[in-house]
Amino acid sequence: MNVVVGITGGIAAYKAVSVVRALVLAGHEVNVVATPNALKFVGRPTLEAISHRPVHSDLYEGVTEVRHVFIGQAADLIVVAPATANTIAKLAAGLADDLLGNTILASTAPLVIAPAMHTEMWENPATQANIAALRERGVVIVGPDSGQLTGADVGPGRMAEPEAIVAAALRAVAERSDLVGKRILVTAGGTREPIDPVRFIGNRSSGKQGLAIAKAAAARGAEVTLIAANLEVAVPASLTVVRVSSTEELAAATTEAAPEADAIIMAAAVADYRPEKVSAAKIKKDDAESLTLRLVRTPDILSSLSERRTAGQVVIGFAAETEPDDAKRLELGRTKIARKGCDYLVLNRVGATEGFATDRNTVVVINAAGDIVSEASGTKQSVADKILDLLLTPWSDS
Ligand code: PMT
């Protein structure tokens, strides 16, 4: 799991080192985002040595990779320990005047904070109102404990112990397991239609978007089957994968797996046409100036899956469109969902530099009536989670 540990400027920052260490030892990838004040309490080299990664602190570093939002978008969990009264106030107000604030605002991951401050500051009505606002938004608050504070004073305000913070954080992720018990079939990648033993007609899909959906669904507890067509990205060993190449193979694999699935998500870029004849030997060019290939239609897999869907099964298709005008693209989507008969259609604009093969995507999701039901823009992982959220509504009563 990709965990962001946010450290803010309080004396308890030294205990954050143990939080980072426990998460690393538990096998998680930990990215530390420390405020400049936190680094006055605990050294960057300590945090980098313990996390095995660079510590991020400056909002204006890594601008070309849009780091101020990327770290948050990629996070599966954010833990802020210690969280000062100032940081808590900023989080409650949604302020983003430093890297940590931006990271948190850009994330949909569970947020766990461990307040640490003097008793008077903790009990101040302003802090209590901020804590209540954060709780209402689903933020998990761990502690503070009561005990010896930095000075001679004793009372509530001590940061919770690192083990308690880590345990609460991991529990928060487990509780997000909203797809437990669901079987989800995801297709990813691009099909290849053979011309002869060495050539094919293909497309530019890398499989990143489909794989992100499969990984996100698995992280949320679903049992996932990934039908992978010529992926350019590595698939984690924990996923059940069926490797295919052509549309015919993808059709056979999805048709076989579909009846068992609670949801089918067709993110693969599937060929609409294939060569009518596949030459058994490499086609020679000889002296010919031109070559004509006759193409025939492939089966429309999404349409037939929609037609045969079982009771309660949700079918989600994608639409890859190059149309630059948003309104016209939406109309193309409405026509497409009417033709494909699926429950939802995820519309994304594709082109030489967008949609295909990049790490980010921008999508608009429509339902069968053609209404926009969701929109997402960000990493393919964050888009994946937004798409999976669509499944929660139809299943909320079941
Ligand atoms: O893989 P990446 O590099 O990350 O890129 C992601 C993506 C752009 C490929 C992905 O987000 C996407 O848009 N996938 C669908 C691509 C596509 O085939 O779109 P389409 O508009 O041509 O097809 C519409 C839907 O019908 C798709 O769900 C497709 O899987 C399905 N289809 C298409 C043809 C066919 N013969 N059978 C089908 O089932």
Side-chain angles (χ1 to χ4, degrees):
M1 186 164 58
N2 181 346
V3 185
V4 169
V5 175
I7 307 179
T8 69
I11 184 67
Y14 79 92
K15 288 208 262 177
V17 176
S18 302
V19 172
V20 173
R21 185 160 173 75
L23 288 164
V24 170
L25 288 178
H28 303 295
E29 196 176 286
V30 179
N31 281 294
V32 173
V33 177
T35 64
N37 285 339
L39 295 177
K40 292 179 185 161
F41 289 94
V42 59
R44 184 188 286 269
T46 307
L47 293 166
E48 294 193 337
I50 297 292
S51 69
H52 311 308
R53 307 177 74 81
V55 166
H56 306 292
S57 181
D58 186 345
L59 186 54
Y60 295 99
E61 268 173 13
V63 173
T64 49
E65 64 189 52
V66 205
R67 195 179 290 164
H68 71 291
V69 290
F70 187 77
I71 298 172
Q73 287 172 338
D76 300 309
L77 165 69
I78 300 184
V79 183
V80 182
T84 59
N86 182 48
T87 297
I88 289 167
K90 290 201 293 183
L91 292 180
L95 289 182
D97 63 347
D98 58 12
L99 184 62
L100 183 59
N102 280 267
T103 299
I104 290 171
L105 274 191
S107 173
T108 54
L111 174 61
V112 177
I113 68 166
M117 64 200 76
H118 283 275
T119 305
E120 295 79 358
M121 296 169 82
W122 171 248
E123 289 178 347
N124 189 293
T127 305
Q128 287 304 308
N130 291 331
I131 288 287
L134 292 175
R135 256 203 194 104
E136 195 164 302
R137 281 182 227 150
V139 176
V140 176
I141 318 287
V142 195
D145 291 349
S146 193
Q148 177 81 55
L149 302 172
T150 322
D153 44 347
V154 174
R158 257 176 86 88
M159 188 174 90
E161 290 308 314
E163 307 75 56
I165 297 169
V166 171
L170 297 180
R171 221 170 24 246
V173 175
E175 279 165 7
R176 208 179 174 207
S177 301
D178 48 9
L179 296 176
V180 169
K182 299 298 178 190
R183 291 158 301 180
I184 301 186
L185 177 62
V186 183
T187 66
T191 56
R192 291 179 180 177
E193 307 308 318
I195 297 170
D196 67 18
V198 297
R199 304 181 180 97
F200 58 83
I201 296 175
N203 62 67
R204 294 185 42 240
S205 171
S206 62
K208 284 184 179 178
Q209 183 62 80
L211 180 61
I213 295 168
K215 280 162 66 175
R220 289 166 68 163
E223 198 183 300
V224 178
T225 300
L226 176 69
I227 314 257
N230 311 299
L231 262 53
E232 288 170 15
V233 277
V235 178
S238 52
L239 283 179
T240 303
V241 191
V242 181
R243 303 266 178 190
V244 296
S245 186
S246 66
T247 301
E248 191 184 351
E249 290 167 9
L250 189 126
T254 36
T255 308
E256 190 185 329
E260 302 303 320
D262 296 300
I264 303 170
I265 305 179
M266 285 287 290
V270 183
D272 291 315
Y273 293 92
R274 63 169 175 82
E276 185 176 33
K277 287 189 194 122
V278 181
S279 172
K282 183 182 172 195
I283 299 172
K284 298 284 183 208
K285 62 176 171 301
D286 298 325
D287 290 331
E289 281 305 318
S290 64
L291 171 72
T292 303
L293 283 178
R294 191 178 145 78
L295 304 180
V296 293
R297 285 290 288 267
T298 54
D300 190 323
I301 307 166
L302 179 58
S303 297
S304 34
L305 291 172
S306 301
E307 256 168 45
R308 289 189 236 146
R309 67 171 160 290
T310 55
Q313 188 178 63
V314 180
V315 181
I316 302 180
F318 269 70
E321 303 291 350
T322 52
E323 170 58 57
D325 182 84
D326 290 349
K328 287 186 187 158
R329 200 165 57 253
L330 191 58
E331 274 318 306
L332 291 175
R334 288 182 174 134
T335 310
K336 192 167 278 185
I337 197 168
R339 188 154 41 85
K340 300 275 185 179
C342 47
D343 297 294
Y344 298 104
L345 191 75
V346 182
L347 262 162
N348 48 192
R349 183 175 160 188
V350 296
T353 55
E354 57 191 342
F356 290 116
T358 61
D359 289 326
R360 305 173 68 80
N361 206 0
T362 298
V363 304
V364 170
V365 185
I366 57 173
N367 63 13
D371 302 322
I372 295 178
V373 291
S374 183
E375 292 182 65
S377 185
T379 59
K380 284 187 171 167
Q381 184 194 332
S382 64
V383 168
D385 267 315
K386 209 68 195 278
I387 293 168
L388 291 169
D389 286 346
L390 296 168
L391 300 175
L392 302 177
T393 316
W395 291 340
S396 60
D397 306 331
S398 60

